[in-house]
Amino acid sequence: MATVHRFVVVPAIPEKLQSLNELAYNVWSLWNYEAVSLFSRLDPDLWEATNHNPVRLLNLVKQEKLQAAVQDEGFLAHLTRIANDFRYYMASPTWFNIHHPNSKAQIAYFSAEYGLHESLPIYSGGLGMLSGDHMKSASELGLPLVGVGLLYREGYFHQRLNMDGWQQEQNPENDFFSMPMTLVRDADHHPVRISIDFPQGEVKAQIWRVQVGRVSLYLLDTNVPDNRAEDRDITARLYGGDHEMRIRQEILLGIGGIRALTALGITPTICHMNEGHSAFLAVERCRVLMDRDKLTFPQAAELVASSNVFTTHTPVPAGNDFFHRDLVERYLGNYYPKLNMSLDEFLSLGRVHPSDGNEFFGMTVLALRMAWHCNGVSELHGDVSRRMWQRIWPEVPVPEIPIRHITNGVHTPTWLGDGMARLYHEYLGTNLVDRPADHSLWTRVDRIPDAELWRTHERRKDRLIGFARQRLREQLARRGASAMDLRRAEEILDTKALTIGFARRFATYKRATLLMRNPERLLRMLSNSNMPVQFIFAGKAHPRDDGGKRFIQDIIRFCAREEVRGRMVFIEDYDANIARHLVQGVDVWLNTPRRPMEASGTSGMKAAINGALNLSVLDGWWCEAYDRENGWAIGAGEEYNNDDYQDEIESRILFDLLEQSVIPTFYDKGLDGLPRNWIRRMKHSISTICPVYNTNRMVQQYCEEFYLPASDSFFKLGESHGQPAAKLAHWKAGLHKSWDQVKVRSIKAEVDGALKAGEALKITAEVELGAVTPDDIKVELYYGGLDAHGEIQHGKCQDMMLAGDIDPGVYRYAGALHTSDCGQQGYAVRIMPNHGNINKRLEPGLIRWG
């Protein structure tokens, strides 16, 4: 076959419309509803047909429509206003500029998927949506941040359901040149490329840039002609293939991602690993420092770990990536020698028990070992994660395991409906988008007249139902449905009925079919003509998750029952567009995970900013947000050992809540047709949830609690070509060598009977340090109330003071506990490392209890 020579054709945009190009290539225009309406105005039908892709719209729109826009003064005025707003946004001062003007931080945020918009289908679910919202809020706040990810040629699959309701997957290819991204080129206009050595040979990747407001997202793509066919497929599909494909993708993301930043002239001072997929970045950062500053791996690791941030999202061990020894050796056999490490030394970085040769290599374990700043994504998930990974720190009480929590949020402008946005703009103030975490703004929601809030919500519900009818008709037509069924699709759902939405990934623990455990009660509810209720479902199951697929099939079959038609529907091919319609239009957002399996969840937050009320199990974020008036809780946070029993109990509770509270409150309307009690709950939900559960608050929290301290550590330990890091590693190695000599010889307390509240308990301890000096350690009292098993609960720490030496290497320490808490109390004495450059207090293997 003849050689194909490539070239790119760009649209001929008239001079007066050139700003459209500028807007099309920045994702800002896709979360600004007025910019969205500008593109839609060019050709509404084509805007829908292109899946709201502004670049593809400009590629396909007919020239006569562009010429008509040039002659349309209203369109030109609209374009000028949006272009001016965009330029003002890009140039205006930001939170970071104002509050941290002297910071030298450079943050690199790594994630396997980014859910920025439906026109960029490189995401699968909540993890990607969070990554996309994180990027957007980093732009809003002005953080010096870049994103790093992979660019999937086929993205995540499109869902199609057959006549029997069984999910089938399709993987159409993305056309990157018709998407809001650009190929990164060097000064000679050649694509910038990086390479990685794999067993079959060198693999090259080119880099694409997506501009997300003020910040850039860089995506690696191995679909280049120089690569073998199997290597071009590394970035073919998100979460596709087997363990071998997964390790190839994760090496590319972590190691290749760092090399891409180097090729772009970016040197991050902080790397944030969003989930463990990118954890190989930690060893690549070490390799770079070893080459540049002639450090050993342990020395480089101190500097790297001090400036790495790791966020875990998975509440069960099986959900984390583990690789067999042979797979690691095959793909990294040429790599770990560059770290001056043996295979077993390298594998120990990813093992809970480093010396256990039978243990697989875990990416989450690697990330936890190589990051001083670790967190779960809700308060409950932080606790679950500490318990799940306690074995890495076997001598540390669970509450002190160094995994904190930063609860997720959502990017308010992305998910807020245009009608609600205008309402908030009028009554809450113009600064809402700039200050979504400002509680004082959201308290003004009471100023919104009940009638206006309700009518705005009803219009959004009308739009949702119109959208659902259209999508249902399209999917029925694809399945070859009859003409009668197609006509029925135009009449499904009732714009005045209580509408409950359920849309998410169809993992079995999310229990999408919990309602169907009692079909008789559900049918009675659906057939009640006085207080009608209807449900809209959407979601995808993983291609290899037959259990999730059966849940979808069960729902489809139930929807097909004659007595259910029109009251329960399933919209296929769930994506960001469907999610927006649902969260902006439903009355109630239903969430039924099996506690504590939901790490956080964010869809309910998106619904809340649009006035919907949450009806959810107390799991993930809802544990923190629920206050008895801003929605409903299914159960009281109980956890069960029997899944079937738990499902049965919580199904009954769900029906009781619907029948006795949710439905009656919705239909309790006055003479003016307004459900005043419902509206009161809506306003309370908005005012309590919106200022807290947004990504501006979340990213600001990451910045202040993790990014800035990590950046400070990077510069402090990296001075003089990493000499402080080298000294810290040398000190720590010496401590490990001598730690067996460290012990608490005796503990004495001056107490005569029970203490009265407020009295001091004086405690002395004799400690034996051997070759370790008192300057290298600190002795602490760990104390608190005792549970029924004699374990300290909610422990607190207090330093003991050196009171003198007894023998060579033996010292006396003294302290006093002052407690106002009554009841059974307890304390313990422990010896800890003490060094000015240790940020992570609890080192595995360096703690000694009395």
Side-chain angles (χ1 to χ4, degrees):
M1 181 177 175
T3 301
V4 176
H5 300 275
R6 301 173 182 228
F7 62 97
V8 178
V9 179
V10 297
I13 304 296
E15 184 64 30
K16 288 187 176 181
L17 303 182
Q18 280 300 312
S19 295
L20 286 173
N21 255 332
E22 182 183 17
L23 293 169
Y25 281 95
N26 195 305
V27 177
W28 175 89
S29 65
L30 297 174
W31 78 69
N32 182 295
Y33 66 87
E34 289 192 298
V36 168
S37 69
L38 174 72
F39 283 109
S40 176
R41 190 169 173 174
L42 267 179
D43 188 330
D45 293 335
L46 186 58
W47 179 244
E48 293 300 324
T50 59
N51 208 22
H52 315 131
N53 181 340
V55 174
R56 185 158 174 75
L57 174 79
L58 295 180
N59 285 348
L60 297 178
V61 67
K62 294 185 180 300
Q63 203 66 31
E64 55 264 31
K65 294 208 171 186
L66 292 174
Q67 292 301 328
V70 170
Q71 305 302 319
D72 185 341
E73 293 184 4
F75 184 88
L76 292 177
H78 191 175
L79 173 58
T80 299
R81 185 175 72 254
I82 297 304
N84 288 339
D85 287 349
F86 172 66
R87 288 161 193 155
Y88 174 79
Y89 172 88
M90 295 295 286
S92 60
T94 66
W95 172 85
F96 191 85
N97 299 145
I98 294 168
H99 290 88
H100 305 286
N102 300 317
S103 174
K104 296 183 291 183
Q106 174 60 67
I107 308 152
Y109 180 87
F110 285 70
S111 183
E113 53 174 302
Y114 288 88
L116 293 164
H117 188 258
E118 61 267 19
S119 64
L120 288 162
I122 54 172
Y123 60 91
S124 71
L127 178 70
M129 288 301 172
L130 178 77
S131 302
D133 284 6
H134 193 113
M135 293 290 294
K136 294 171 186 176
S137 282
S139 169
E140 309 274 39
L141 295 168
L143 265 63
L145 179 145
V146 295
V148 181
L150 303 182
L151 184 58
Y152 305 99
R153 189 170 72 250
E154 298 176 6
Y156 200 54
F157 70 90
H158 287 279
Q159 178 192 56
R160 294 292 179 259
L161 304 177
N162 66 19
M163 290 298 291
D164 195 36
W166 190 254
Q167 174 182 291
Q168 299 173 314
E169 295 84 32
Q170 297 178 356
N171 294 91
E173 291 196 1
N174 291 317
D175 177 8
F176 300 150
F177 289 96
S178 294
M179 295 167 69
M181 62 177 66
T182 53
L183 187 62
V184 179
R185 300 179 183 273
D186 61 21
D188 297 321
H189 206 62
H190 297 132
V192 175
R193 291 182 178 175
I194 59 98
S195 63
I196 295 178
D197 289 329
F198 277 162
Q200 301 84 359
E202 184 182 57
V203 174
K204 296 180 180 179
Q206 58 191 1
I207 307 167
W208 295 78
R209 180 176 61 234
V210 179
Q211 200 59 36
V212 186
R214 300 180 178 96
V215 303
S216 298
L217 168 62
Y218 295 102
L219 302 170
L220 299 179
D221 167 26
T222 62
N223 186 29
V224 297
D226 294 352
N227 286 336
R228 294 176 298 276
E230 60 269 28
D231 295 330
R232 297 176 72 165
D233 284 343
I234 292 174
T235 55
R237 296 181 185 178
L238 172 60
Y239 303 142
D242 53 14
H243 280 84
E244 186 165 359
M245 178 58 76
R246 182 63 69 91
I247 197 171
R248 297 170 83 196
Q249 289 183 335
E250 295 185 357
I251 290 171
L252 177 64
L253 175 60
I255 296 175
I258 292 294
R259 293 180 183 178
L261 293 178
T262 301
L264 296 169
I266 299 170
T267 303
T269 63
I270 308 122
C271 285
H272 185 167
M273 299 170 278
N274 189 43
E275 196 53 281
H277 308 117
S278 60
F280 286 128
L281 73 81
V283 292
E284 176 66 4
R285 291 187 78 194
C286 289
R287 187 196 64 78
V288 171
L289 288 171
M290 292 169 70
D291 287 350
R292 189 189 73 187
D293 295 332
K294 309 308 176 188
L295 300 175
T296 66
F297 181 83
Q299 292 168 347
E302 292 296 338
L303 178 52
V304 168
S306 76
S307 56
N308 275 349
V309 176
F310 171 55
T311 299
T312 177
H313 294 260
T314 310
V316 290
N320 297 270
D321 284 336
F322 289 90
F323 298 120
H324 191 274
R325 175 193 182 97
D326 294 345
L327 203 56
V328 175
E329 183 173 18
R330 181 181 177 196
Y331 278 94
L332 293 158
N334 292 326
Y335 184 83
Y336 57 76
K338 298 175 183 177
L339 306 173
N340 294 325
M341 302 177 80
S342 67
L343 174 60
D344 284 324
E345 287 172 329
F346 185 81
L347 290 171
S348 70
L349 297 173
R351 289 171 172 163
V352 173
H353 303 100
S355 60
D356 184 354
N358 295 318
E359 189 177 330
F360 281 26
F361 182 91
M363 296 297 285
T364 299
V365 179
L366 174 63
L368 288 169
R369 289 196 184 280
M370 295 296 293
W372 280 10
H373 311 275
C374 304
N375 70 286
V377 289
S378 69
E379 185 176 5
L380 177 61
H381 181 237
D383 182 62
V384 169
S385 298
R386 286 187 289 273
R387 294 179 187 279
M388 189 163 71
W389 299 112
Q390 184 188 13
R391 292 176 301 155
I392 297 176
W393 296 270
E395 296 173 312
V396 177
V398 169
E400 289 197 306
I401 297 297
I403 302 174
R404 297 161 61 184
H405 80 274
I406 293 179
T407 302
N408 284 345
V410 298
H411 182 245
T412 304
T414 292
W415 302 104
L416 185 61
D418 52 2
M420 292 293 285
R422 293 187 183 96
L423 202 61
Y424 291 163
H425 182 87
E426 181 176 356
Y427 289 99
L428 276 62
T430 58
N431 294 324
L432 178 62
V433 172
D434 298 326
R435 294 157 51 198
D438 188 335
H439 287 255
S440 64
L441 290 178
W442 290 102
T443 58
R444 300 174 190 171
V445 73
D446 285 332
R447 299 178 183 178
I448 303 175
D450 287 359
E452 284 196 55
L453 179 59
W454 189 245
R455 301 305 175 221
T456 299
H457 172 65
E458 286 190 316
R459 284 191 292 272
R460 291 303 313 180
K461 184 157 68 170
D462 289 347
R463 189 179 301 183
L464 165 62
I465 289 173
F467 172 80
R469 289 169 177 170
Q470 175 191 344
R471 293 297 291 259
L472 187 62
R473 181 181 172 87
E474 290 171 358
Q475 65 196 47
L476 287 172
R478 278 195 297 269
R479 293 181 214 157
S482 66
M484 179 179 294
D485 284 339
L486 294 178
R487 285 195 299 273
R488 282 182 171 181
E490 297 173 356
E491 301 173 354
I492 62 161
L493 305 176
D494 178 353
T495 59
K496 300 300 181 184
L498 172 62
T499 304
I500 300 175
F502 182 101
R504 51 191 37 86
R505 183 167 54 93
F506 263 62
T508 51
Y509 79 85
K510 293 179 183 283
R511 300 188 298 181
T513 56
L514 192 65
L515 279 163
M516 295 169 200
R517 286 189 69 94
N518 195 326
E520 292 77 16
R521 290 180 80 174
L522 180 57
L523 286 170
R524 284 200 303 272
M525 189 180 296
L526 293 171
S527 60
N528 187 334
S529 57
N530 293 323
M531 293 190 291
V533 180
Q534 57 197 16
F535 293 87
I536 302 178
F537 288 85
K540 296 177 179 178
H542 189 279
R544 293 191 294 273
D545 183 4
D546 284 350
K549 290 183 179 183
R550 279 192 290 272
F551 276 10
I552 294 173
Q553 187 178 50
D554 290 343
I555 292 172
I556 294 295
R557 289 175 173 176
F558 195 86
C559 291
R561 295 174 64 161
E562 190 62 37
E563 62 270 45
V564 174
R565 285 179 184 270
R567 292 281 187 226
M568 183 180 286
V569 298
F570 186 99
I571 302 175
E572 68 181 30
D573 206 24
Y574 184 48
D575 66 358
N577 184 36
I578 293 173
R580 269 199 314 277
H581 279 86
L582 284 168
V583 298
Q584 292 172 9
V586 298
D587 299 303
V588 172
W589 194 256
L590 179 62
N591 187 35
T592 55
R594 186 177 290 118
R595 178 185 164 110
M597 302 281 285
E598 187 80 278
S600 175
T602 57
S603 57
M605 305 172 191
K606 298 163 189 170
I609 64 175
N610 289 285
L613 296 177
N614 277 273
L615 171 58
S616 175
V617 171
L618 285 170
D619 199 6
W621 76 284
W622 191 233
C623 298
E624 302 166 49
Y626 176 62
D627 69 359
R628 306 184 70 83
E629 296 295 327
N630 57 2
W632 293 272
I634 302 169
E638 302 93 344
E639 295 178 22
Y640 300 81
N641 294 323
N642 185 310
D643 290 348
D644 189 65
Y645 178 72
Q646 180 177 1
D647 294 352
E648 180 61 30
I649 292 296
E650 291 181 345
S651 174
R652 294 178 190 174
I653 295 171
L654 172 57
F655 275 106
D656 289 344
L657 279 170
L658 287 168
E659 293 167 351
Q660 298 169 22
S661 183
V662 179
I663 298 171
T665 303
F666 182 83
Y667 285 105
D668 180 18
K669 298 180 179 180
L671 295 176
D672 56 3
L674 297 178
R676 298 283 181 179
N677 286 334
W678 189 275
I679 295 169
R680 176 183 58 79
R681 278 184 177 266
M682 287 174 66
K683 289 182 176 181
H684 185 64
S685 171
I686 291 167
S687 65
T688 56
I689 291 173
C690 296
V692 180
Y693 299 96
N694 63 81
T695 42
N696 278 35
R697 181 275 310 158
M698 181 192 81
V699 172
Q700 188 173 325
Q701 193 175 350
Y702 273 112
C703 184
E704 293 178 331
E705 297 184 13
F706 285 173
Y707 295 162
L708 293 175
S711 187
D712 290 344
S713 296
F714 178 85
F715 288 111
K716 185 177 181 181
L717 293 177
E719 289 178 347
S720 304
H721 301 285
Q723 286 309 298
K727 290 178 180 177
L728 175 59
H730 177 75
W731 173 84
K732 197 179 289 185
L735 210 58
H736 274 287
K737 187 176 180 180
S738 303
W739 198 249
D740 284 345
Q741 303 170 26
V742 174
K743 61 183 176 182
V744 179
R745 288 212 313 194
S746 65
I747 303 169
K748 295 180 181 179
E750 297 180 16
V751 60
D752 184 16
L755 287 176
K756 294 181 180 178
E759 287 184 346
L761 175 63
K762 296 180 180 180
I763 302 166
T764 59
E766 292 182 4
V767 301
E768 188 173 325
L769 300 182
V772 177
T773 71
D775 290 339
D776 292 329
I777 60 98
K778 60 181 175 179
V779 180
E780 288 183 338
L781 289 168
Y782 181 75
Y783 65 98
L786 299 181
D787 64 13
H789 303 287
E791 300 289 337
I792 294 173
Q793 298 295 296
H794 310 296
K796 300 175 184 177
C797 298
Q798 181 177 308
D799 287 347
M800 299 182 76
M801 305 303 295
L802 181 63
D805 54 346
I806 301 171
D807 293 314
V810 181
Y811 304 88
R812 177 181 293 107
Y813 282 77
L817 291 180
H818 297 267
T819 178
S820 58
D821 297 331
C822 296
Q824 193 174 33
Q825 304 287 308
Y827 71 89
V829 175
R830 66 185 181 189
I831 305 172
M832 311 275 289
N834 186 37
H835 190 284
N837 283 333
I838 279 196
N839 196 9
K840 182 176 169 185
R841 292 178 61 250
L842 301 167
E843 284 285 321
L846 291 181
I847 183 171
R848 187 74 73 215
W849 291 91

